[in-house]
Amino acid sequence: MTAEVPLPGARRHERLRNFPPPSEWDHHVEYDAKAHPRKVPHTYSLIPTICFNCESSCGLLAYVDHEDLSIKKFEGNPAHPGSRGRNCAKGPATINQVHDPERILHPLRRVGERGSGRFERVSWEEALSDIAARVRAAIVEDRRDEVMYHVGRPGEDGFAERVLQAWGVDGHNSHTNVCSSGGRSGYTHWMGYDRPSPDYAHARVIVLQSSHLETGHYFNPHAQRIMEAKQNGAKVVVLDLRLSNTASHADLWISPWPGSESAIFLAVASYLLRTGRVDRDFLRRWVNWDVYLERLHPDAPRDFEVFLELLTHDYAEWTFERAAQLAHVPVEQIEEFATYVGQAGSRLATHTWRSAAAGNLGGWQITRSLFFLNVLTGSIGTEGGTHPNGWDKFIAHFPDMPPPHDVWSEMLWPAEYPLTTNEMSILLPHLLKDGRGRLEVYFSRVYNPLWVNPDGFTWIDVLKDETKIGLHVALTPTWSESATFADYVLPMGHASERHDTMSFETHAAKWIAFRQPVTRVAMEQQGIPYRDSRDANPGEVWEENEFWFELSWQIDPDGSLGIRRWFESPDRPGERITTDEYYDVLFRRSVPGLPEAAAAQGLSPLQYMRKYGVFEVAKDLYRLDERPLTEAELEGAAPDDHGVLRKPVTLDTAPPLVGEAGAVGLQHPDGSRTAGWLSPSRKLELYSTTLADWGWPEHATPGYIESHVAAARINRSDDEFVLMPNFRLPTLIHTRSGNAKYLNEISNTHPLWFNAGDARQMGVRTGDLVRVTTEIGHFVVRVWATEAIRPGVVGLSHHMGRWTQDGHPGSRWVMGTVNLRRTDEGVWSLRYTDGVGPFTSEDPDSERIYWDDPGVHQNLTFPVQPDPVSGMHCWHQKVRIEKARPEDRYGDVQVDVTKSREVYRRWLSMTRPGPGPDGQRRPEFLMRHVAPKRAAYRVAESPGSGRPSPETV
């Protein structure tokens, strides 16, 4: 943790330390660098928290000055097992967000019509009273599907879900359909877990589907371990349409035609099978090969050797040559890839998340085919292999949980998408337009739906319509395009101004990290009194946990609804719980090992977490599928016909977050009883009975689905291209980094990546304007001619294109001013009237802005394209590109929302609606953030919402 290194020529007691030791964190002295050569000391408290500028949840240390309690900087937390004291550019930039002169400091209520951009300051009491009354009315009148909490990046584990469960509403909405449904779905139908967790540091071969080393989830913790593996001789294979920073580190870079990736993985799988480079013992014990034979080869003997022969035959069609033809890459590249995988043994670490799985129709099969390689090599749960995320992630659930509700929202879980992962958030405005329901109260949190989602102009139409959304409450520290269409804009804290617990699968270990309001902690250290976080944060900024406590209290002021009891103090009956009390209970009762580790240092569990900001729950976690079940787990459990050990459950219980209700493990033919996986069979499902029984039997095994942008569907002679709009920059993160001046200074241009050969053929050069036409509209952008993207594909990153209207609030660091217009026929147009430029504020750096490019809001021109199985919005677009016309200007956007409705209906027609077996709305083992009673999963048992069925809309 202190990593001391002797200085050359220094005396023995003089050491160069990477970090101050924790013993100094309450009283650390540094000299003011700006005062040099004078020695001006400053005394700091180093208080740990968690970065909130991507999902990695890396540790931060805030330097809080004892003199005035100001935060001077953020550095890495060396106690954090995931990030290990290191941060990317986004971590230290948290200081910009704290001191942002453009941030929202007081509760605001709209003035005039919704979307007018005019707001007035109100008290927290006024806002809470109005919101609570509306939520209460919806609950009392049994309109419990009319309260919706729509979250982008949660930044916390389990808190909001508990609140919604206490309210008894089916109102948890996520951003998953624009992020990771394709990746999640592919993994879920193998093992029940929905994410991979590669053990990179110990891998022999690493396969990355896209640029995770550079910009993907957990990329700072992962990048460290990938580089360690490379230093130890590991080979890295990257499949990416761009020569990304990650691809530049690869031993083999393959740039396939979009959507063809599964063909490549299947060709490698075929190679492994025909050359015998498979782990036979692992396959025999952990793959549902008997079901594969039963469903696909019913006349074959139920013999493992026969299974291997038939499996090899079934995938023999996937030759290197066929894959190369579909992928438009040299066959030698696929042969080299297969050779690497064949040499990996059980140390094959693979990862994909967005990228191809999020870009293509059937992208979930790309994920499923990639994981096929891990299954065949037995490199799952092994040292250097790929783990399920649930083994390496730890969620501490509050021990006192409300009972499950009995509501099913068709606006979140429409019948057409029974297998979606997760809520069908991208369809919300269309479902509201269809008349399937309305919302009384809509909370948007860390989410900017009209900017980040496709078809943003349809979102504007719905956000402005008070008959469809009665009250829109934006919980946000900064202005966004969507916030200006809210009724209340409520300022919430940044990473150093709130409480949260977080954990992510960074390596073969489990840890839980603690985000905390660092100024408030410093006040407590110095004995300065406070009521709540508003006394420590700028202006009237409140942390969300305290906000939810108070709002829940006001929804049920007399306790008659049964809500208030879940937010009462455990030690002061009848009084509201405090954050200290909440986390004291959580850490004492829900984090194994923490009370003992804290007691060893004379601390309470809460004090330990306040001091270090993190606790390592377990490490070196391998082969947990073979974990023997405990006596408590086995009590009352009996095996079914397939060996799944189950306990009796009723329809009044709720399924777990993942896994089937009542299932605890697997009894093997040899009599051993182990935990297994979370799939319905508790095995790795080569043949998914779920996909087959819910209407997709042709896709029940790993396979290839032709993408909506497959090469055969693109007319290159007519200047048609595939647009890849879903890659990110390593220095920016959606709209959250817009108020970080350091990051904007690094990345402030938004070019269209254009293959240099394609550019020459079209007669365009770097800097030229082109018009990019999608199915529902067009945008105008500048070209960057480069060899770093494959021919036939163009790419535009997803982190610029920020705008505000004249006279509306916004963040001048990144937002240009636009003129928005809509015709009566539904044609929207957006044109910049001013770009980014210097402005006067409390921060003198705002007058030093030298960049002027606000970027292009491309997502407005994309119709919704939800995959009919996973529900993932298929981001890749078939586009036609031409030189800009005389009337075109940079950043222009035009969209016909009537056409977007037509596209929505066409993709909806591709679905195969439920219910499924036994009248179920959705398989119980699939993830659901707030799971209702099992009865609600069944159409006949559900109380219903009074809404029209999908068939009648």
Side-chain angles (χ1 to χ4, degrees), residues 163-303:
V163 171
L164 296 171
Q165 194 161 319
W167 293 1
V169 302
D170 194 24
H172 186 284
N173 206 349
S174 69
H175 74 298
T176 310
N177 291 132
V178 298
C179 173
S180 54
S181 293
R184 292 175 187 265
S185 186
Y187 288 110
T188 297
H189 290 298
W190 266 114
M191 56 180 173
Y193 298 95
D194 69 342
R195 302 191 192 200
S197 178
D199 186 27
Y200 287 127
H202 304 106
R204 187 175 294 129
V205 175
I206 295 171
V207 178
L208 300 174
Q209 172 63 62
S210 88
S211 57
H212 283 84
L213 173 66
E214 172 194 356
T215 60
H217 280 350
Y218 336 127
F219 80 89
N220 166 39
H222 278 182
Q224 297 178 36
R225 292 166 173 87
I226 292 172
M227 296 309 294
E228 289 173 15
K230 279 180 63 69
Q231 290 172 340
N232 291 328
K235 297 294 185 181
V236 176
V237 179
V238 174
L239 283 77
D240 198 341
L241 305 180
R242 301 177 302 128
L243 181 61
S244 59
N245 290 353
T246 305
S248 71
H249 284 269
D251 296 278
L252 173 63
W253 169 46
I254 303 176
S255 182
W257 189 268
S260 67
E261 292 84 354
S262 58
I264 295 175
F265 299 142
L266 294 173
V268 176
S270 179
Y271 165 81
L272 296 173
L273 286 164
R274 69 175 178 268
T275 59
R277 290 175 167 83
V278 298
D279 188 330
R280 300 165 67 91
D281 292 338
F282 181 82
L283 293 172
R284 186 194 305 271
R285 182 168 174 85
W286 281 115
V287 169
N288 67 338
W289 57 268
D290 54 336
V291 177
Y292 184 91
L293 290 176
E294 177 186 326
R295 294 292 186 105
L296 296 182
H297 301 281
D299 297 330
R302 298 297 184 267
D303 179 81

Side-chain angles (χ1 to χ4, degrees), residues 22-42:
S23 59
E24 296 181 9
W25 285 4
D26 291 346
H27 192 276
H28 173 67
V29 178
E30 284 190 2
Y31 292 100
D32 190 340
K34 294 181 179 180
H36 183 77
R38 295 179 297 116
K39 285 193 171 184
V40 179
H42 288 274

Side-chain angles (χ1 to χ4, degrees), residues 421-480:
T421 323
N422 285 324
E423 304 92 347
M424 288 304 300
S425 60
I426 58 171
L427 296 188
L428 180 60
H430 289 282
L431 299 177
L432 289 169
K433 278 179 170 287
D434 282 348
R436 300 199 191 194
R438 69 177 295 274
L439 296 177
E440 177 62 28
V441 181
Y442 174 70
F443 296 96
S444 58
R445 177 192 170 251
V446 196
Y447 202 43
N448 187 3
L450 82 83
W451 187 88
V452 75
N453 285 354
D455 200 11
F457 285 129
T458 297
W459 276 88
I460 293 179
D461 283 345
V462 169
L463 288 174
K464 292 184 68 173
D465 189 341
E466 295 183 45
T467 67
K468 293 180 172 57
I469 299 178
L471 187 73
H472 176 194
V473 182
L475 308 175
T476 174
T478 58
W479 285 106
S480 69

Side-chain angles (χ1 to χ4, degrees), residues 825-872:
E825 293 75 29
V827 177
W828 281 89
S829 61
L830 176 151
R831 170 164 284 183
Y832 285 114
T833 59
D834 201 3
V836 178
F839 62 94
T840 300
S841 74
E842 297 173 1
D843 185 346
D845 282 343
S846 66
E847 297 184 3
R848 303 185 179 105
I849 292 176
Y850 59 84
W851 57 91
D852 60 4
D853 185 1
V856 180
H857 190 180
Q858 58 178 329
N859 290 15
L860 290 170
T861 68
F862 305 157
V864 292
Q865 300 178 160
D867 181 271
V869 175
S870 69
M872 178 77 224

Side-chain angles (χ1 to χ4, degrees), residues 394 396-399 501 512 514 569-571 577-599 603-609 615:
F394 178 79
H397 294 289
F398 198 78
T501 55
I512 181 171
F514 191 32
S569 166
D571 302 318
I577 194 171
T578 66
T579 52
D580 276 5
E581 290 173 325
Y582 180 87
Y583 287 104
D584 176 66
V585 171
L586 186 77
F587 292 142
R588 276 193 296 109
R589 297 177 55 189
S590 301
V591 184
L594 175 56
E596 294 79 8
L603 303 172
S604 71
L606 177 58
Q607 289 170 333
Y608 182 100
M609 294 300 286
F615 178 70

Side-chain angles (χ1 to χ4, degrees), residues 764-779:
V764 295
R765 296 181 294 180
T766 295
D768 287 353
L769 290 179
V770 293
R771 176 187 281 211
V772 180
T773 300
T774 69
E775 192 169 2
I776 64 172
H778 73 262
F779 61 86

